Amino acid sequence: MKAFITYQLKNYIRSLLFIPPVALYMAWVIIQYSYSSVDIMSSYSNTAIVLFIIATWIVMNVFRIEDEAEKHILLVQLSQKEQFLYGKWLTCILFILPLVILAHFYPIVTSSFNQPVAVTDHLLSLYAHIGLATLGILTGSFFSGTKLTNSHYVWLLTALTITTSFAYPKLIEALPSAISWILWILPPLRYFYEPLKAATTGGLPIGFLASFCFAVFYMLIIGIVIFKLFLKNED
């Protein structure tokens, strides 16, 4: 597994496909904090939301970097097919984790906030960034690590899913209740950025634990779905 992850990292770096998403996110964070005295929670919410898009982008690249022949050789060399999926996920995590660290600590180092960062602020920031990055990994791998890999419209489907997920609050109000339930299949971004918007200086916002539980439940379910679809695709 270690050799496979090392190969994936080298392969992705040599492809230079990491440059656009990583450079774009770094630029976004720097621009976000180009002014001092910005609000803590709203700023962290913005960088976490953008990280979801960037993480999805990176995952799509990592999963689709090999052609079918090279992928078949790698699957044969691995003792179990699921190690291919785990290795891809770990590779994505190693690329995305520095972006989480950058988004959280850059404004602290540059003293960009309008007040000191409390312990609760740290917890909510890491919760939002790690949670939305994980959702990005799952979203990207759902479209690029399953049978949808062969679709010519995979990028379009991914972009549509991301856009619809952001529009969830408006869609749930506009659609009839009889069909609005279908929106629950979308990545629940709101469970990660809404607690930041509802946060107060008194501690964690009301309903934070419920949001956390629902988010973890969704990620477990979609992770199992991806795992099953991947194994079925490689049979």
Side-chain angles (χ1 to χ4, degrees):
M1 177 66 77
K2 183 179 179 180
F4 175 68
I5 295 174
T6 301
Y7 172 79
Q8 289 292 302
L9 289 171
K10 291 180 178 179
N11 202 18
Y12 188 43
I13 292 173
R14 283 196 298 263
S15 71
L16 303 181
L17 291 173
F18 72 95
I19 293 179
V22 171
L24 183 61
Y25 190 69
M26 292 177 65
W28 167 258
V29 171
I30 293 172
I31 293 172
Q32 172 84 13
Y33 299 108
S34 58
Y35 298 96
S36 58
S37 300
V38 297
D39 182 71
I40 297 175
M41 289 292 95
S42 62
S43 300
Y44 276 148
S45 176
N46 291 337
T47 53
I49 290 172
V50 175
L51 183 60
F52 167 73
I53 302 173
I54 298 299
T56 305
W57 187 354
I58 290 174
V59 174
M60 296 285 287
N61 286 337
V62 170
F63 267 89
R64 297 169 64 86
I65 198 170
E66 299 100 0
D67 56 29
E68 286 300 317
E70 185 178 2
K71 179 181 178 181
H72 179 72
I73 294 173
L74 291 172
L75 286 169
V76 171
Q77 291 178 340
L78 294 170
S79 58
Q80 296 177 320
K81 291 181 180 180
E82 53 264 34
Q83 290 185 356
F84 183 89
L85 179 63
Y86 298 151
K88 289 285 188 178
W89 277 345
L90 290 172
T91 302
C92 295
I93 291 172
L94 291 175
F95 263 96
I96 295 170
L97 184 59
L99 300 182
V100 173
I101 296 173
L102 171 70
H104 180 73
F105 288 104
Y106 179 81
I108 298 175
V109 173
T110 57
S111 302
S112 299
F113 292 134
N114 54 9
Q115 58 187 5
V117 182
V119 174
T120 303
D121 299 331
H122 285 289
L123 292 175
L124 288 174
S125 169
L126 292 173
Y127 167 74
H129 286 94
I130 294 174
L132 286 172
T134 304
L135 275 183
I137 292 174
L138 293 173
T139 302
S141 55
F142 176 79
F143 286 104
S144 58
T146 62
K147 283 188 176 296
L148 293 174
T149 303
N150 299 323
S151 173
H152 296 294
Y153 304 103
V154 64
W155 285 96
L156 178 61
L157 289 172
T158 306
L160 181 62
T161 300
I162 292 174
T163 304
T164 310
S165 299
F166 283 126
Y168 176 88
K170 297 296 182 181
L171 292 174
I172 200 69
E173 295 176 359
L175 292 176
S177 58
I179 61 174
S180 61
W181 60 269
I182 197 172
L183 297 177
W184 284 92
I185 65 174
L186 297 172
L189 311 184
R190 60 197 180 279
Y191 291 146
F192 293 102
Y193 66 76
E194 286 182 353
L196 273 68
K197 295 182 178 180
T200 62
T201 56
L204 296 174
I206 297 174
F208 172 77
L209 183 59
S211 295
F212 173 78
C213 292
F214 278 121
V216 171
F217 177 75
Y218 176 90
M219 290 190 292
L220 286 175
I221 295 299
I222 196 65
I224 294 172
V225 170
I226 293 169
F227 180 80
K228 296 295 185 181
L229 288 176
F230 174 79
L231 292 182
K232 183 178 180 181
N233 187 38
E234 302 306 328
D235 284 341

